[in-house]
């Protein structure tokens, strides 16, 4: 099943990144510990002592090799005499018995020496490898910059701390989006299962119809009709297929609509909003009824505990409110960051310019069609609203706040 919550994907990515950062810190920590506890004297002694020890092993290996040659010659010399030959008198002779003993003894001694030689060769290789490793470790230790490693670890730890905090902030948002998705997702899964069942049923019915077309006699056709009735409660595959064809498009449409709702809920619920710019002149009407600043004031009261909010009006707000000055606007929207345009130009461009940051969103029903180049438009950072039946609804922020036209 598709993952609809984009924040879950982001959380997974951040947790993977966090694990990688921690692994890097652990690796660097192990390197620092190695550097701190490295026994340079022992390593130097290993490197210095290796040539003499290797030379001694080479001498022993040469002695064993010479002894092996002696035993090999001993066996070769006795081998012809130990053979039975053609003379029956030789078969049980003392000379043959001694030769057989020589072959057996020489062969056994040869194998013993061969094992000894292999052991010495392994010891020599281990000593050489140990000396090489000690030399490499000495060089690595001398070039190791512990200060640089500690600085890198500090940078990584700062990144870990920042990412951990971000994950902790993100996790409840993931849970909130999952909660918002859950009821619709439950219905989507049901619709998806039903579509899959219908598609599978259609394949089964098609097989029944193919078998009926190829049936050789009435008995075989009866068996197919009986299977169809047992499976679908109707023995006529054509009628079953008609029922499926009627239901399947509706179920697919239902699934598509639910999927669209899931994506819309996920998009709205997972917005990264750090600040808001409100198109003030866009929130002074309920339908065609001018309602002044009441709805805007109620909305801002809901928003300001969570976001920095700026409200921008075009110059027409003065006429609509019957004010020549702006004092009443500032009084009614006390405590808010307000700007009223000084000239007759529209406020649209200033609103969009004020919301240039990636996490700054605009609340407006304006499509801003004249400004397709602005980042807020290109990145879809414009959130619509509804003012209806005494409520201000901003679905993108999960807000539904009631307002009153009574002055406070």
């Amino acid at each position: 099943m598709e993952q609809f919550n984009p924040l879950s994907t982001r959380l997974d990515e951040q947790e993977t990144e966090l694990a990688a950062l921690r692994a890097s810190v652990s690796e660097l920590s192990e390197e620092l510990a190695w550097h701190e506890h490295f026994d340079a004297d022992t390593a130097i002694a290993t490197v210095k002592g290796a040539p003499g020890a290797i030379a001694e092993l080479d001498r022993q290996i040469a002695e064993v090799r010479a002894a092996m040659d002696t035993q090999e010659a001993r066996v070769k010399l006795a081998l012809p005499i130990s053979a039975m030959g053609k003379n029956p008198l030789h078969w049980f002779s003392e000379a043959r018995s001694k030769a057989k003993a020589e072959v057996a003894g020489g062969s056994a001694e040869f194998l013993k020496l061969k094992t000894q030689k292999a052991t010495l060769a392994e010891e020599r290789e281990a000593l050489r490898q140990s000396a090489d490793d000690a030399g490499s470790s000495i060089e690595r230790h001398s070039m190791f910059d512990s200060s640089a490693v500690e600085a890198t670890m500090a940078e990584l730890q700062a990144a870990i701390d920042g990412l951990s905090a971000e994950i902790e902030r993100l996790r409840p948002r993931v849970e909130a989006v999952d909660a918002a998705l859950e009821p619709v997702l439950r219905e989507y899964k049901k619709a998806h299962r039903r579509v899959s069942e219908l598609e599978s049923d259609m394949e089964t019915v098609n097989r029944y119809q193919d078998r009926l077309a190829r049936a050789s006699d009435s008995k075989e056709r009866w068996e197919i009709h009986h299977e169809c009735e047992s499976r679908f409660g109707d023995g006529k595959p054509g009628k079953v297929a008609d029922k499926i064809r009627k239901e399947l498009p509706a179920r697919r449409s239902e699934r598509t609509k639910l999927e669209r709702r899931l994506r819309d809920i996920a998009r709205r619920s997972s917005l990264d909003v750090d600040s808001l710019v409100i198109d003030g002149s866009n929130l002074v009407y309920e339908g065609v009824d001018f309602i002044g600043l009441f709805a805007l004031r109620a909305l801002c009261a809901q928003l300001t505990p969570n976001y920095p909010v700026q409200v921008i009006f075009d110059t027409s707000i003065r006429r609509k409110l019957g004010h020549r000055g702006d004092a009443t606007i500032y009084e009614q929207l006390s405590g808010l960051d307000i700007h009223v345009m000084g000239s007759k130009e529209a406020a649209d461009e200033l609103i969009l310019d004020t919301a240039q940051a990636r996490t700054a969103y605009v609340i407006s029903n304006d499509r801003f069609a004249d400004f397709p180049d602005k980042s807020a438009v290109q990145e879809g950072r414009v959130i619509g609203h509804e003012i209806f039946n005494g409520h201000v609804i901003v679905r993108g922020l999960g807000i539904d706040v009631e307002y009153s036209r009574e002055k406070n």
Side-chain angles (χ1 to χ4, degrees):
M1 185 66 66
E2 184 178 353
Q3 169 63 264
F4 288 99
N5 187 346
L7 296 184
S8 291
T9 302
R10 190 194 307 176
L11 181 61
D12 290 342
E13 290 172 350
Q14 289 183 347
E15 288 179 336
T16 299
E17 183 182 354
L18 181 62
L21 289 170
R22 285 174 171 163
S24 296
V25 169
S26 177
E27 184 178 338
L28 291 174
S29 179
E30 289 176 4
E31 289 188 17
L32 276 175
W34 170 84
H35 181 264
E36 181 180 350
H37 297 100
F38 180 69
D39 188 346
D41 292 340
T42 299
I44 292 170
T46 299
V47 172
K48 288 183 176 180
I54 289 173
E56 173 58 23
L57 287 170
D58 285 340
R59 184 190 66 75
Q60 293 179 32
I61 290 170
E63 286 183 355
V64 172
R65 188 181 291 114
M68 289 172 64
D69 291 343
T70 299
Q71 295 303 320
E72 188 175 19
R74 174 186 171 190
V75 170
K76 285 182 179 179
L77 185 63
L79 197 59
I81 301 172
S82 68
M84 291 184 67
K86 296 180 179 181
N87 185 358
L89 296 176
H90 178 66
W91 295 352
F92 304 101
S93 67
E94 184 179 353
R96 183 170 179 254
S97 295
K98 288 182 178 180
K100 286 170 67 177
E102 281 291 300
V103 170
S107 297
E109 186 65 22
F110 181 86
L111 290 175
K112 180 181 177 181
L113 290 166
K114 185 178 180 181
T115 300
Q116 183 181 353
K117 175 175 170 287
T119 300
L120 290 169
E122 289 177 2
E123 187 179 345
R124 182 189 189 281
E125 176 59 24
L127 184 58
R128 183 199 64 77
Q129 187 63 55
S130 178
D132 287 349
D133 290 345
S136 297
S137 295
I138 292 168
E139 182 178 4
R140 177 187 168 199
H141 188 266
S142 67
M143 296 178 65
F144 191 89
D145 188 343
S146 57
S147 297
V149 171
E150 288 171 351
T152 300
M153 287 180 65
E155 292 175 1
L156 289 172
Q157 190 58 53
I160 287 171
D161 293 342
L163 190 56
S164 297
E166 189 173 343
I167 287 172
E168 289 308 307
R169 288 193 298 269
L170 182 60
R171 188 170 282 114
R173 292 186 61 204
V174 171
E175 293 170 356
V177 174
D178 283 341
L181 290 170
E182 196 276 332
V184 181
L185 184 60
R186 187 167 55 246
E187 296 303 314
Y188 172 81
K189 288 178 178 178
K190 285 168 57 178
H192 184 75
R193 280 195 301 270
R194 184 56 182 156
V195 168
S196 298
E197 289 169 0
L198 290 169
E199 290 173 343
S200 176
D201 288 348
M202 182 60 81
E203 290 178 2
T204 302
V205 169
N206 288 337
R207 285 196 295 271
Y208 286 152
Q209 291 179 317
D210 289 342
R211 287 171 59 193
L212 282 172
R214 291 183 280 103
S216 58
D217 54 37
S218 60
K219 180 177 182 299
E220 186 176 353
R221 284 192 290 274
W222 180 87
E223 290 175 348
I224 296 168
H225 285 298
H226 181 68
E227 283 184 41
C228 185
E229 185 170 9
S230 298
R231 173 70 176 80
F232 296 108
D234 190 324
K236 297 180 180 180
K239 288 182 64 178
V240 175
D242 287 342
K243 291 179 182 178
I244 293 173
R245 290 191 190 97
K246 288 179 181 178
E247 182 180 357
L248 187 55
R251 296 298 184 186
R252 283 173 173 163
S253 176
E254 178 187 9
R255 182 180 64 177
T256 299
K257 290 176 182 178
L258 288 167
E259 182 177 348
R260 192 179 300 122
R261 281 187 62 195
L262 285 169
R263 295 190 187 285
D264 186 51
I265 291 169
R267 181 190 63 79
R268 288 190 279 107
S269 302
S270 59
L271 294 178
D272 283 327
V273 183
D274 285 335
S275 63
L276 293 165
V277 183
I278 297 179
D279 182 354
S281 300
N282 213 236
L283 279 107
V284 294
Y285 288 92
E286 181 173 336
V288 295
D289 186 13
F290 180 76
I291 57 173
L293 302 175
F294 298 110
L296 178 60
R297 184 167 57 184
L299 174 62
C300 290
Q302 188 83 0
L303 294 174
T304 50
N306 301 307
Y307 309 100
V309 176
Q310 293 175 287
V311 183
I312 298 177
F313 294 97
D314 60 37
T315 188
S316 66
I317 191 64
R318 299 184 178 94
R319 174 180 50 80
K320 291 174 182 177
L321 292 173
H323 307 144
R324 293 193 175 183
D326 299 336
T328 305
I329 297 175
Y330 289 107
E331 180 184 341
Q332 291 190 31
L333 299 176
S334 176
L336 292 174
D337 184 354
I338 306 295
H339 178 77
V340 182
M341 298 295 289
S343 65
K344 291 185 179 181
E345 62 181 313
D348 292 357
E349 188 166 14
L350 179 60
I351 289 169
L352 295 173
D353 286 341
T354 305
Q356 288 188 29
R358 186 184 61 82
T359 53
Y361 281 72
V362 173
I363 295 180
S364 176
N365 285 337
D366 197 326
R367 298 291 182 180
F368 298 105
D370 293 337
F371 302 95
D373 57 309
K374 300 296 184 180
S375 61
V377 177
Q378 292 179 345
E379 297 167 12
R381 289 187 283 106
V382 179
I383 305 173
H385 66 274
E386 298 171 43
I387 301 178
F388 174 74
N389 198 26
H391 286 255
V392 185
I393 302 167
V394 185
R395 299 189 188 281
L397 299 175
I399 288 176
D400 182 344
V401 59
E402 190 174 2
Y403 75 91
S404 172
R405 299 195 195 187
E406 297 294 329
K407 293 185 178 180
N408 295 329

